[in-house]
Every structure is written in structure tokens, then in C-alpha cells.
Amino acid sequence: MLKIIDLGKTEYQEALKIQRDFFLKKRKNPEIGDIILITEHYPVYTRGKSTKREHIPDNLDAPIFEIERGGSVTFHGEGQIIVYPILRLKKNLSVKKFVYILEEIMIETLKEFGIRGFRKEKFRGVFTERGKIGFVGIKISKGISMHGFSLNVNVDKSYFSKIIPCGIKDIPVCNMADFIPGVKTIYVKNILISSILKKGRRKLL
């Protein structure tokens, strides 16, 4: 059974604790239900295991947390939908395929708004003609996933300009609002949840 929980807007530490608690329970007893947490964070930077020193300046204007996911540094803020799937993955589902499905959920969501999203070779995440719009960073332990993906709707992009997002220097970050001015996060969230239930549920569980 899959349960989707909308946490609303959260401080990063708060959501991380909820996520880790579910993850540890799930890893201890994989038979308990799968959970997907959805949230928006107040401004925060997170750095994954592949972050290099040159990706982050000395002085940032928001807190930064070092976490156990893959990938480099990124920003989370209001106007960005974040999805944390805490799932028992199918035994034949590789990490690469899992990431592919998460990207596909974002691509399908963008398509509903007439925005063409696509992958780029050698990079994780989702890109558009105007820049990177979707981000993926995960951890899998004993077949259980945590962390996840984020989709920019109308987030303050100036925070990204202070770092090298995902360690990629020459590709800008963009929002859905760059294509559809005035687009509402709540509406995108509803479409995103529908994409998760239609595409992700069938392939992930």
C-alpha cells in the first residue's frame, strides 16, 4: 500500500527527521507500507556525497546541510516541490532505472503544462530549452529508498546563482514560471501526484 503525505512547507531539519524515521522503520520491517512525502522547504542548501569545495562559496545566505544522498550541492526553497519516496524497490530495479523513473515522473508532469522536459547524457535530472528544472538525489539501503527529487515551479533562482548547482557550470536553472507566468505550485503539485500514481506506482512497486 502506498501512502502520500503532504507536509506543506517545512524546515529542512524537520522534514529530514520525518524522512529518516520512516526510512529506518521501513528498513527494519520492509513489509510496512510505502510512503511518499511531499513538501516545500524554507531556504536551505544541501550537499551530497560528490560535492567539491569549488561548488560552494564561503558565505551563503541560507543554512547548508551535508547529507547522505548522491549528487553535489543544490538549493531548496519555497516554490519548489520536493518529493521523498521511502519505498521498498522491486528486486530487479537498478539504481539507474529508479532514477530514470523519477525523471520520467517530472517529464510527464511538465508535459501536462506544455513544457518539454528531457534528460542530458552524463547528468541526472530534467532539463528544458531554458535550463535545468528538475533535480534528483537519492540513497538506497537494503532495497529501501530515501531522499528523492525536486521540481522548480517558481522558486527564487537567485539562490542557485551563489553555488554551482549539481556541479554543472554552464547550464542555468529555470522555473516552470519561465514558461508559464503565474503558474501555481498547488496546481503543479496535484498534477505531479497524479503522475506519481499513474507512472511511478506501476513501475516502482
Side-chain angles (χ1 to χ4, degrees):
M1 184 180 74
L2 176 64
K3 186 176 183 180
I4 296 178
I5 301 175
D6 187 348
L7 299 176
K9 294 182 181 180
T10 59
E11 296 288 352
Y12 185 75
Q13 308 96 304
E14 174 191 357
L16 183 61
K17 183 180 185 307
I18 294 170
Q19 185 185 180
R20 282 177 172 162
D21 286 347
F22 278 127
F23 173 76
L24 292 173
K25 289 177 184 177
K26 182 77 173 173
R27 198 171 64 170
K28 187 175 181 180
N29 179 12
E31 299 304 319
I32 65 175
D34 293 296
I35 292 169
I36 294 179
L37 304 175
I38 297 180
T39 188
E40 291 177 64
H41 289 315
Y42 296 108
V44 65
Y45 293 96
T46 64
R47 52 181 296 170
K49 293 186 291 185
S50 64
T51 304
K52 296 180 180 179
R53 184 66 191 88
E54 59 265 28
H55 297 168
I56 310 172
D58 290 329
N59 297 311
L60 292 172
D61 48 5
I64 184 166
F65 291 89
E66 186 167 356
I67 53 175
E68 62 271 70
R69 64 163 172 79
S72 183
V73 64
T74 194
F75 171 76
H76 298 305
E78 297 168 90
Q80 180 195 67
I81 302 171
I82 303 167
V83 179
Y84 295 129
I86 306 166
L87 311 174
R88 181 185 184 184
L89 303 181
K90 291 180 178 179
K91 289 184 178 180
N92 62 345
L93 187 67
S94 66
V95 173
K96 184 177 180 180
K97 182 63 175 176
F98 180 49
V99 170
Y100 182 94
I101 293 169
L102 299 183
E103 292 169 340
E104 194 66 21
I105 289 169
M106 289 189 279
I107 289 170
E108 288 296 318
T109 300
L110 292 169
K111 186 177 179 181
E112 290 293 319
F113 290 87
I115 300 171
R116 188 177 77 89
F118 53 87
R119 299 175 184 83
K120 274 187 174 288
E121 190 176 353
K122 298 182 181 179
F123 295 122
R124 287 181 176 177
V126 175
F127 299 80
T128 72
E129 62 185 23
R130 298 190 182 185
K132 189 169 186 180
I133 199 168
F135 307 79
V136 179
I138 60 170
K139 173 185 176 178
I140 298 175
S141 175
K142 297 183 178 179
I144 309 300
S145 67
M146 70 178 292
H147 299 296
F149 68 88
S150 56
L151 181 65
N152 287 352
V153 181
N154 54 16
V155 69
D156 184 346
K157 293 183 294 184
S158 68
Y159 285 95
F160 286 97
S161 67
K162 298 174 174 65
I163 58 173
I164 301 177
C166 308
I168 304 172
K169 294 181 179 180
D170 55 352
I171 299 177
V173 168
C174 69
N175 277 318
M176 292 179 68
D178 295 329
F179 298 85
I180 311 170
V183 63
K184 301 295 183 183
T185 304
I186 184 63
Y187 186 45
V188 176
K189 186 190 298 183
N190 289 336
I191 300 297
L192 180 61
I193 290 172
S194 178
S195 296
I196 291 170
L197 293 174
K198 287 179 183 177
K199 197 168 195 76
R201 189 173 191 172
R202 175 170 51 87
K203 293 188 175 183
L204 291 171
L205 306 177

